[in-house]
Amino acid sequence: MRVMVTGHLGYIGTVLTPMLVEAGHEVVGYDSDLYSRCTYAAGGEITRVPAIAKDVRDAGVEDFAGVEAVLHLAALSNDPLGNLRPQLTDDVNHRASVRIAQLAKQAGVKRFVLASSCSNYGQSGAEMIDETGALNPVTAYGQSKVDSERDIARLTDSSFCPVYLRPATAYGVSPRLRFDIVLNNLVAWAVTTGKIHMKSDGTPWRPIVHIQDIARAFIAALEAPAEAVCNEAFNVGQTAHNYRIRDLAQIVAEVVPGCTVDFAEGAGPDKRSYRVSFEKIRRTLPAFRPQWDARMGAEQLYNAYRSCGLTLEEFEGPRYQRIGHIKKLLAAGVLEPSLRRTGTTPRPSAAVAGDHFP
């Protein structure tokens, strides 16, 4: 199948793309490559595929010619970055996503799989929540995903099948690594300081899922019969993998030799607390067979960080923190306030993924 992956050069996209190729699909990328400076050697090589180097806000119907399915990952990802400029988050994550879906449908694309989020549930507390539960986003990022699902659903018909995947909080090693997500962050603290530094009191619940398992869910949703997935939302993860943050910290402490756990002065609970059921995807998409757990992920991260000699300066710097990196590019004049590249900045190659540009 000819599949377009938007955001194919991001944290998840650089893991999903080679898995799609291995599964026999013809992959076309679509990415403005905001994170061209953020390639992480221990994450492996970035798979090179034909690609369109454009901002998703600038898409045209011609970009989708001959494409049978779109896996739409491109977004301003995570809550701090989303809150930097909430209106911009809505423009990129919501309005552009709906427009991408409209253009794809116009071009004859049959399957459209949206990367949504368990952030949709927001502050749902300790009770288990499934896809029928109330959506209560508490951030601009979460709201953008809720709005995208709602508006893309209106495009559903017999020729256009949208699917909404709501992954738990991601973790794991990638060619475009991030330190600004919980397990990756905790392991980095442990490796670089000998301590697991907790910024909250550790009581909030958070489901987590490895990025390879997220990729497996996208492939399962792509290949499933339309009647099983059309206009359906699926939480992506495993029900047993809902953790309190302090429990994740303990797992990391057991993996990384000689580290201790401490809490920031005056640490209180993070308002983003939710426990999620993943039974629907288990029942409906039997091809989705997740293979990772938190301990395995912590071990993978620990080995990767050690292999590259991760330092505290690198960990705390902007290179692998999405909001920090974007602020640096803005300050350097590489990006306009709209987060489009300035006219003097070279753009990534349209044909080759993984090249580095200013």
Side-chain angles (χ1 to χ4, degrees), residues 216-298:
R216 291 184 177 96
F218 270 92
I219 294 170
L222 170 69
E223 297 177 346
E227 59 270 20
V229 297
C230 192
N231 204 31
E232 293 286 338
F234 296 92
N235 298 330
V236 178
Q238 300 179 73
T239 303
H241 293 178
N242 285 279
Y243 298 90
R244 289 189 185 273
I245 304 299
R246 64 190 181 200
D247 296 330
L248 290 175
Q250 183 57 43
I251 290 171
V252 175
E254 293 168 2
V255 167
V256 180
C259 69
T260 59
V261 179
D262 68 13
F263 292 83
E265 185 177 350
D270 186 331
K271 64 181 179 180
R272 297 169 300 164
S273 181
Y274 44 90
R275 297 177 68 207
V276 177
S277 168
F278 301 95
E279 296 308 299
K280 180 179 178 181
I281 194 169
R282 183 185 62 81
R283 293 191 312 267
T284 309
L285 295 179
F288 172 59
R289 293 186 289 273
Q291 298 180 14
W292 290 81
D293 62 28
R295 183 173 299 275
M296 293 168 60

Side-chain angles (χ1 to χ4, degrees), residues 305-323:
Y305 296 167
R306 285 192 66 200
S307 73
C308 277
L310 179 66
T311 65
L312 181 62
E313 180 181 14
E314 185 178 31
F315 164 46
E316 292 189 323
R319 187 175 185 186
Y320 303 113
Q321 310 274 356
R322 289 301 186 248
I323 189 170

Side-chain angles (χ1 to χ4, degrees), residues 57-255:
R57 291 167 290 182
D58 302 327
V61 67
E62 68 279 0
D63 295 331
F64 304 94
V67 172
E68 298 169 80
V70 173
L71 308 184
H72 183 49
L73 280 68
L76 297 178
S77 290
N78 92 345
D79 293 333
L81 180 56
N83 290 335
L84 177 65
R85 294 177 183 172
Q87 183 56 55
L88 192 56
T89 298
D90 181 70
D91 289 344
V92 174
N93 291 7
H94 165 220
R95 296 182 187 278
S97 294
V98 175
R99 184 167 177 271
I100 288 280
Q102 291 170 332
L103 293 171
K105 179 177 180 178
Q106 183 180 342
V109 171
K110 302 300 183 184
R111 184 73 52 96
F112 187 91
V113 186
L114 173 71
S116 190
S117 174
C118 278
S119 293
N120 293 9
Y121 301 119
Q123 191 175 2
S124 63
E127 296 299 317
M128 195 72 70
I129 192 165
D130 65 14
E131 292 84 352
T132 65
L135 302 181
N136 185 33
V138 295
T139 64
Y141 174 76
Q143 187 64 55
S144 73
K145 295 299 185 180
V146 170
D147 293 345
S148 294
E149 287 190 24
R150 178 198 65 212
D151 293 346
I152 291 171
R154 295 168 179 157
L155 302 174
T156 307
D157 61 24
S158 59
S159 65
F160 187 72
C161 172
V163 189
Y164 322 106
L165 297 186
R166 300 173 180 170
T169 299
Y171 66 90
V173 175
S174 163
R176 289 284 169 84
L177 187 69
R178 291 174 56 186
F179 289 141
D180 53 7
I181 41 184
V182 61
L183 191 61
N184 295 10
N185 183 273
L186 294 176
V187 178
W189 274 113
V191 168
T192 59
T193 70
K195 294 182 179 180
I196 301 169
H197 184 69
M198 302 290 292
K199 295 182 179 180
S200 75
D201 64 6
T203 59
W205 286 96
R206 196 68 49 79
I208 66 172
V209 60
H210 195 280
I211 49 177
Q212 289 182 13
D213 288 336
I214 294 174
R216 291 184 177 96
F218 270 92
I219 294 170
L222 170 69
E223 297 177 346
E227 59 270 20
V229 297
C230 192
N231 204 31
E232 293 286 338
F234 296 92
N235 298 330
V236 178
Q238 300 179 73
T239 303
H241 293 178
N242 285 279
Y243 298 90
R244 289 189 185 273
I245 304 299
R246 64 190 181 200
D247 296 330
L248 290 175
Q250 183 57 43
I251 290 171
V252 175
E254 293 168 2
V255 167

Side-chain angles (χ1 to χ4, degrees), residues 57 76 84-85 87-89 91-92 326 329-331 333-342:
R57 291 167 290 182
L76 297 178
L84 177 65
R85 294 177 183 172
Q87 183 56 55
L88 192 56
T89 298
D91 289 344
V92 174
I326 292 298
L329 294 180
L330 286 166
V334 174
L335 295 180
E336 300 173 351
S338 67
L339 302 190
R340 288 183 171 88
R341 289 178 179 270
T342 58

